[in-house]
Amino acid sequence: MIKDFNKTAIITATQDISYSELLARIDNYAGFTPSGSDTKTLIFSENRSGWIYAFFSVWKNGGIPVPVDASNSAHDVAYIINDCSPSCIWVSRDREAVAREAIKETGAQTSVLIIDDYEDTPLQTPLAQNNGDVETMSDTTLGWGRKHSETAVIIYTSGTTGSPKGVMLSFANLWANIKSVAFEVPIFNDRRRTLILLPLHHILPLMGCMIAPIIMGGGVAISPSMSGPDIMNILCRGRVAIFVGVPRLWQTLYSGIMKQINAHAITRGLFGLCSTVKSTTLSRIIFHSLHKKMGGNLEYCVCGGAALDREIGSGLQTLGLSLLEGYGMSETAPIIAFTRPGDYIPGCAGLPLPSVHCKLISLDGGDETPEEGELCVKGPNVMQGYYNRPEETAAVIDKDGYLHTGDIARFDKDGRVILTGRCKEIIVLSNGKNVQPSEIEYKLEKFEEQVKEAAVAQDGDMLRAIIVPQPLWAGERNDTELEIALKREVLEPYNLNAPGYKKLMSVMVYRDDLPRTKLDKLQRYKLKDILAGRREDHAAQVQTIPEPTSNEYQILKNYIQQEKKIPVHGTDHIETDLAMDSLDKVGLQGFIENTFGMEIDVDNMATFHNIAAMAKYIADNKTRMEVEEIDWNKILHQHNTVNQSKEQLARTQLPHTSFLYPVWTKILKLIVVCHNSLSIKGKQNLPKKGPYILAPNHQSYIDAPIALAGLSYSQVRKTYFYATEEHINTPVRRLLARRNNIIIMERRNLKNSILKMSRVLQQGCNLCIFPEGSRTHTGEVGEFKKTFAILSLELNIPIIPVRITGAFEAMPRTSKLPNTHHVQVEYLEPIVPTGTDTYESLSEATRQKIAAGIEV
C-alpha cells in the first residue's frame, strides 16, 4: 500500500519518477486520449515511461488499450487496425512512420499521438497529493476501479499458429491474477520493485512487470535494452527485487555465469558443494559477489512464456537465486499455475491459481479421467473471448466454461501441473506414431557447443531437424560441411537413444534466427516455408545436375535404395540426405569391394559431395563389376582363409590380456558394491562353457565394471570390450586398451574391428558390446545397433541381455562423480539365434527384453 506519494514509481536509466509525478503524467496524457467505454487506443512503442502513461490514460478515460508489438511491420499494424478499429494510436517517434503507413494502408480515420511530445514536457497540472492508500489512488487516477465485467485490455496473440486474434480480458480477469500473486501468495508488495525488460505488448510483462507492481506500490525499473551491461546496471540502480524473464534469457545469463565458474577449480568445487547441500543461505553466502553484481536486492527470478530447461532451473537455484516458474496464456491473463516460493521443482509448472479449477480430457475421446491429457481450466482468469470472433471463442471455451488450453499435461500427487506437450504441435506419422517435436528439440539443444537453436518438422514421412549452428563452432564452413558435421556430432548421438519413429533422418542448416514470438515460442507454421525453400533449392540443384546414366551409378543407387528403403538421387549425400550410419557404411564398403573389386575407406565416404561423385570415383578405379549381395558370413570367416595375407592378419590382431585386467575389474566392482550397494541378479543365466555376447544397456561411465560384476575371475579374463576411437583418444589410453581386452573401433576400417570381434568369439572368448553405442541422455533404452546381432547370427553365438538399472541416476551425463544411488545388474535369459532370425529381429528382441524392466 502507498502511504507516501513521494515514493519512486518508475526508474529509468536517467530518471527517478515518483508516484505523484506518475499520476500527474497520466492525467496529462488523458487530456489528449479519446474517451468512451468502447473506445480503443493502440499503444505502439518500445518500453519507456511514456508507454506506461499512455496505457493508464486510456483506463482513466474509460477506454480499452490495445498494446502492439513495437517491432511490427506496417502490414502487421494495419491488420490490427482493421480488426479492432481504434480511434487513436499512441506511438513513439521511432515508430511514427510505420504507424502512418499502416493507417494509409487501411484508410482508417485514426489519429496519431506522439509519446515523445508529452513524456518529459513541463506538467500543466499540479503533482498529485497524498490522498490515502493505493486503492484510493488507483480507483480515482488509474481507472482500476471500473466494473469488473468491463473489458480492460485487448491483447493480440503473437501468432504461433497463424493470424493473431484479439484476446479480450476484463478487469475481473486481471484482478484474479493480482489477487493470487499479491494477496493469496504475497510475491508483489510495496517493498519489491520489478524489472521491465520484456516488451509490454505481451500479457506476461504487461501484468507481471507493470500493472501488478504499480498497483501494489512496489514500482518498476525500465531496462533501456536487452544487453547484459544495461540489465546489470538497472538491476543495481533500481534495487530490483523481482526479475521476470523468458527461458532463452535465463539460459544466456546462466551460461555466462557458468563459464566463469567452470574456469576455476575452486569455483567449480563450490558450485558442486552448493548443488549437494541445496541451502539457499549457503549459496547466497558463497556467491555473494554474483548477487552484488545483480544489485543485491533480487528476491525472485520469474520465468514464463515457455518451459525452462531443468538443468538451468536447478543451476539457478544452486546459485542462490529463488526461481519461480509460471505457466499460462494470453487467454488467462496470463497465469494458470505457478510455483510457490520455496516449492520450485524443475520441469513442474506449479500449483494452479487458488480460484482456478483444472481438469484433463483424453486426447482420443476415451478415458474421462486420464492420467495425461489436454489441460482444461475454468475460473475468473479466463478471457471474455476473442474480439469479434464468436465461433473461434466457442471452439476453445466449451459450454461448461472450460478453456481448452491445447497443452498436454498431468498432475503430480500434490496437484501440481506438469506439462508434457502441445496438442497442435504433435506430428502424426503415417505409421500412426505421435511425435512431440519440443521433446526432441530440447534434447538437440543440449548439444550446446554445436547447436544455437533447433526445430523439428515433418518432411514427408520423416522428421527433419532445422538447426541454427553456433557461430564459433560453425566457423567458415559452408552448409554442406556443417550438415555433415551436425549429422555426425549431433544427430547420430541423438539417434542412438531415440526410438525408431523419433529418429531424425536429415538435418538442415539455417543461418537466420528461427521464427519466434517475443516470448520465445516457436512459430511452427513458418517452418513449412523454411523447408519449402530448402526443397526448392534442392530441386533446382537436382535439375542442374543430370541424373548419371553410368552402370556404376545405377548399381550403387539400387543397392542404397534397397538398404535404406528411400528414394536416392545423384545429388544425395550419404549422411545428410540418406542418414547412413556407421554399420550402413561398413555394408556399403563390403558391397563396393565385392562388386567393383576395390575398397573405399569408410571414413572417406562422407567426403564425396554426393552419390554421383562416389559413382564416378568407382568407375575410374574399379577392377571388376559383378553385382553381389553383402555376405557377412563370408566377411566374418575370411580371416580363416588360406588366402589372407600376413598384413591382413596383423590388422586383426587381438589386444593382450594383462594379469591386472581382472584385478582392476574386481576392484571397481567392489567400489560400486560399497558406494552404490550394487546388487546382482540372474547369474544362473551365464553359460558355463562356450563363447557368448553380453549386451547391456548403457546408462553411465560405470557400466563396464557393472556389466562384468557377475562374472568369475576366469570369465572376466576371457571377456573383451568394444570401444570407439573417441573414447581411446590418448597414447596412455591406447596402451591400456591393448593390454586390457579392449578392441578399438577404427572409423577408417570398421571391417577390421568387426573381424577382431569375430576372432574373439571363434577362439571361445566372450564379447561385451553396448548396442546403443553411447550413454543414454534420458535413462530410456535407445535403439540398438545390429553389430552384435550380426555376430550372433552368423557365428551362432548366444546373446545374454544385461539390464542395468540405477546407474543413470547414480552418474548421469552431467555428473563427473557418482552419487550413492542404488545400482542393479541383471543377466537375463540367453537369446539363441535360430534359422528364422534376422539381424533386426535379434537386435529388437534383445532391446525389448532389457527395456521391459526399466522405468523412466
Side-chain angles (χ1 to χ4, degrees):
M1 296 296 181
I2 296 296
K3 299 298 183 182
D4 180 7
F5 274 55
N6 293 319
K7 181 178 180 179
T8 302
I10 302 172
I11 293 177
T12 70
T14 58
Q15 288 181 298
D16 287 6
I17 300 161
S18 69
Y19 268 93
S20 294
E21 183 176 349
L22 167 65
L23 302 180
R25 292 284 178 192
I26 291 170
D27 193 52
N28 193 40
Y29 272 58
F32 303 94
T33 303
S35 302
S37 60
D38 195 40
T39 302
K40 290 170 282 295
T41 298
L42 263 58
I43 304 175
F44 183 40
S45 168
E46 65 284 350
N47 293 349
R48 58 195 300 167
S49 56
W51 201 107
I52 299 173
Y53 307 150
F55 181 90
F56 283 114
S57 75
V58 180
W59 272 9
K60 180 176 176 63
N61 285 0
I64 303 172
V66 183
V68 178
D69 185 349
S71 66
N72 271 1
S73 66
H75 181 72
D76 294 330
V77 178
Y79 171 89
I80 295 174
I81 292 173
N82 278 328
D83 196 61
C84 70
S85 303
S87 301
C88 165
I89 300 179
W90 274 108
V91 63
S92 65
R93 183 74 67 192
D94 288 345
R95 305 303 293 156
E96 179 186 2
V98 176
R100 293 192 184 280
E101 185 181 344
I103 293 171
K104 183 178 179 181
E105 182 180 328
T106 63
Q109 299 299 311
T110 304
S111 61
V112 175
L113 296 169
I114 309 301
I115 288 176
D116 310 51
D117 292 346
Y118 307 94
E119 195 169 39
D120 298 315
T121 56
L123 292 167
Q124 301 300 313
T125 57
L127 293 179
Q129 300 300 311
N130 185 354
N131 59 350
D133 60 23
V134 69
E135 293 180 350
T136 304
M137 176 198 75
S138 58
D139 284 354
T140 59
T141 312
L142 299 180
W144 184 246
R146 289 160 57 181
K147 293 181 181 179
H148 275 200
S149 60
E150 289 187 54
T151 300
V153 65
I154 296 177
I155 298 290
Y156 275 83
T157 56
S158 303
T160 59
T161 56
S163 299
K165 300 183 287 290
V167 177
M168 297 187 295
L169 298 173
S170 69
F171 283 96
N173 298 150
L174 303 187
W175 173 244
N177 278 261
I178 292 178
K179 181 183 177 184
S180 292
V181 296
F183 296 100
E184 293 166 336
V185 182
I187 296 169
F188 292 93
N189 58 37
D190 62 354
R191 301 181 307 280
R192 293 178 181 143
R193 184 171 289 114
T194 302
L195 177 68
I196 293 181
L197 179 66
L198 305 177
L200 289 171
H201 71 274
H202 194 281
I203 188 61
L204 170 62
L206 178 65
M207 277 293 292
C209 302
M210 191 193 84
I211 296 177
I214 286 180
I215 290 293
M216 293 307 302
V220 299
I222 304 175
S223 178
S225 78
M226 296 285 284
S227 73
D230 278 346
I231 294 173
M232 290 302 180
N233 287 339
I234 201 68
L235 286 173
C236 295
R237 171 171 155 67
R239 300 178 297 282
V240 169
I242 301 174
F243 183 171
V244 181
V246 293
R248 201 163 294 275
L249 174 65
W250 292 118
Q251 179 180 348
T252 302
L253 177 67
Y254 179 69
S255 297
I257 294 171
M258 291 309 296
K259 281 182 182 178
Q260 297 181 39
I261 288 176
N262 289 328
H264 305 284
I266 293 176
T267 48
R268 286 199 305 270
L270 290 173
F271 184 85
L273 173 66
C274 292
S275 178
T276 302
V277 175
K278 300 186 185 305
S279 166
T280 301
T281 302
L282 176 64
S283 294
R284 288 180 176 174
I285 292 172
I286 288 178
F287 297 108
H288 172 73
S289 60
L290 168 65
H291 288 261
K292 189 174 180 180
K293 287 179 182 178
M294 301 178 75
N297 294 279
L298 198 57
E299 294 187 54
Y300 296 120
C301 297
V302 180
C303 182
L308 182 66
D309 184 310
R310 296 185 182 203
E311 180 183 340
I312 295 172
S314 297
L316 291 172
Q317 292 280 101
T318 298
L319 294 170
L321 298 171
S322 295
L323 189 65
L324 303 178
E325 195 164 357
Y327 157 65
M329 51 201 305
S330 298
E331 290 84 346
T332 56
I335 307 175
I336 292 173
F338 67 99
T339 54
R340 279 30 173 191
D343 188 39
Y344 177 75
I345 301 173
C348 176
L351 291 166
L353 300 186
S355 59
V356 171
H357 182 264
C358 298
K359 70 175 183 179
L360 302 177
I361 62 170
S362 177
L363 298 177
D364 57 10
D367 188 358
E368 293 184 359
T369 56
E371 291 186 3
E372 181 176 275
E374 183 185 5
L375 181 65
C376 298
V377 300
K378 180 180 182 179
N381 62 332
V382 175
M383 67 172 179
Q384 295 172 312
Y386 296 121
Y387 183 74
N388 280 343
R389 300 196 184 194
E391 291 183 0
E392 293 189 39
T393 301
V396 297
I397 301 179
D398 62 28
K399 58 183 176 59
D400 296 321
Y402 279 94
L403 172 72
H404 293 240
T405 66
D407 290 308
I408 305 170
R410 58 185 174 86
F411 302 125
D412 71 6
K413 60 183 179 63
D414 296 314
R416 300 181 188 90
V417 177
I418 300 173
L419 299 172
T420 57
R422 179 101 182 122
C423 299
K424 292 180 181 178
E425 294 178 356
I426 290 178
I427 296 172
V428 182
L429 302 174
S430 62
N431 59 9
K433 295 287 188 180
N434 293 337
V435 176
Q436 185 62 245
S438 59
E439 172 193 336
I440 301 175
E441 290 156 1
Y442 170 79
K443 293 177 181 178
L444 293 180
E445 290 181 356
K446 297 288 281 184
F447 295 87
E448 294 179 350
E449 180 184 348
Q450 300 88 350
V451 180
K452 181 180 178 184
E453 53 179 335
V456 173
Q458 186 172 10
D459 192 9
D461 198 38
M462 70 176 181
L463 298 176
R464 172 170 287 197
I466 303 171
I467 291 179
V468 180
Q470 291 285 9
L472 185 63
W473 176 80
E476 299 297 322
R477 289 181 283 189
N478 60 35
D479 285 2
T480 299
E481 292 169 333
L482 285 175
E483 287 176 356
I484 292 171
L486 285 169
K487 179 69 171 63
R488 178 175 297 169
E489 297 180 31
V490 177
L491 263 62
E492 283 190 6
Y494 161 78
N495 283 340
L496 284 173
N497 290 305
Y501 69 96
K502 290 184 181 179
K503 283 186 181 295
L504 296 166
M505 300 312 296
S506 69
V507 61
M508 169 189 169
V509 169
Y510 189 61
R511 296 283 186 169
D512 203 351
D513 291 334
L514 292 175
R516 294 182 181 273
T517 70
K518 291 297 180 182
L519 289 196
D520 206 38
K521 292 182 180 178
L522 195 60
Q523 294 176 305
R524 295 192 182 277
Y525 70 97
K526 293 184 179 180
L527 299 180
K528 294 180 181 178
D529 294 335
I530 293 174
L531 287 178
R534 178 55 178 266
R535 278 194 293 270
E536 289 174 5
D537 293 343
H538 186 67
Q541 184 184 19
V542 170
Q543 290 175 0
T544 58
I545 303 177
E547 187 83 355
T549 57
S550 69
N551 289 333
E552 292 84 359
Y553 170 74
Q554 293 299 326
I555 291 170
L556 192 63
K557 173 182 175 179
N558 290 338
Y559 168 79
I560 297 173
Q561 283 188 159
Q562 289 173 4
E563 289 294 308
K564 300 299 293 182
K565 306 294 188 292
I566 57 174
V568 174
H569 304 94
T571 55
D572 289 338
H573 187 273
I574 65 168
E575 287 185 337
T576 56
D577 295 308
L578 302 176
M580 296 188 75
D581 61 21
S582 299
L583 195 60
D584 291 329
K585 292 176 194 173
V586 173
L588 179 60
Q589 183 187 45
F591 174 78
I592 291 171
E593 184 176 345
N594 292 339
T595 304
F596 300 109
M598 58 176 292
E599 185 172 308
I600 295 181
D601 195 296
V602 168
D603 202 43
N604 290 334
M605 286 184 177
T607 63
F608 291 100
H609 292 307
N610 48 46
I611 297 299
M614 183 181 289
K616 185 178 185 307
Y617 177 82
I618 291 172
D620 293 341
N621 294 277
K622 70 180 189 296
T623 60
R624 67 170 186 268
M625 192 162 65
E626 299 174 3
V627 180
E628 293 185 20
E629 295 292 331
I630 183 71
D631 188 345
W632 282 110
N633 187 278
K634 180 179 178 182
I635 290 174
L636 294 179
H637 288 85
Q638 66 177 282
H639 71 275
N640 285 333
T641 63
V642 294
N643 296 324
Q644 192 172 22
S645 68
K646 291 182 179 179
E647 181 183 350
Q648 288 173 315
L649 285 170
R651 286 205 302 265
T652 58
Q653 184 177 4
L654 298 179
H656 297 292
T657 304
S658 165
F659 74 94
L660 288 175
Y661 166 56
V663 175
W664 282 117
T665 300
K666 294 302 180 183
I667 291 173
L668 289 172
K669 170 191 171 181
L670 181 61
I671 292 172
V672 179
V673 169
C674 296
H675 190 261
N676 299 94
S677 59
L678 174 69
S679 58
I680 304 170
K681 296 176 66 176
K683 289 172 67 173
Q684 70 277 7
N685 291 320
L686 291 169
K688 302 295 184 185
K689 295 181 180 180
Y692 52 84
I693 299 172
L694 293 173
N697 57 307
H698 205 355
Q699 292 201 331
S700 74
Y701 270 136
I702 58 176
D703 289 345
I706 293 173
L708 299 185
L711 277 65
S712 66
Y713 186 92
S714 60
Q715 286 175 316
V716 169
R717 283 187 59 84
K718 295 174 59 178
T719 301
Y720 288 73
F721 279 94
Y722 183 44
T724 62
E725 284 179 314
E726 287 82 354
H727 292 132
I728 313 296
N729 55 5
T730 66
V732 172
R733 289 182 178 182
R734 285 193 289 272
L735 176 64
L736 290 173
R738 287 195 298 269
R739 297 185 177 182
N740 289 277
N741 287 22
I742 297 176
I743 297 170
I744 303 174
M745 184 189 80
E746 306 168 50
R747 284 195 178 275
R748 294 184 177 275
N749 201 328
L750 290 170
K751 187 171 71 174
N752 279 344
S753 304
I754 293 175
L755 288 176
K756 288 181 183 180
M757 290 189 284
S758 171
R759 289 189 65 195
V760 164
L761 296 168
Q762 290 182 338
Q763 290 178 6
C765 295
N766 310 319
L767 189 63
C768 183
I769 302 180
F770 293 96
E772 293 162 280
S774 68
R775 290 168 294 147
T776 176
H777 284 267
T778 63
E780 297 175 310
V781 179
E783 186 149 330
F784 279 14
K785 298 285 186 183
K786 57 186 179 183
T787 306
F788 79 104
I790 292 172
L791 292 165
S792 171
L793 187 60
E794 298 301 344
L795 301 177
N796 195 30
I797 305 292
I799 299 167
I800 311 298
V802 183
R803 182 188 296 143
I804 296 174
T805 53
F808 176 74
E809 291 80 5
M811 194 175 183
R813 279 178 170 265
T814 55
S815 176
K816 295 182 179 179
L817 293 173
N819 58 48
T820 56
H821 194 281
H822 172 65
V823 175
Q824 177 176 286
V825 60
E826 182 176 4
Y827 302 96
L828 306 176
E829 291 185 1
I831 297 176
V832 180
T834 66
T836 59
D837 278 320
T838 64
Y839 307 144
E840 290 77 12
S841 67
L842 273 177
S843 176
E844 184 59 19
T846 306
R847 194 195 72 83
Q848 287 184 4
K849 263 197 171 188
I850 294 172
I854 294 179
E855 296 181 2
V856 178

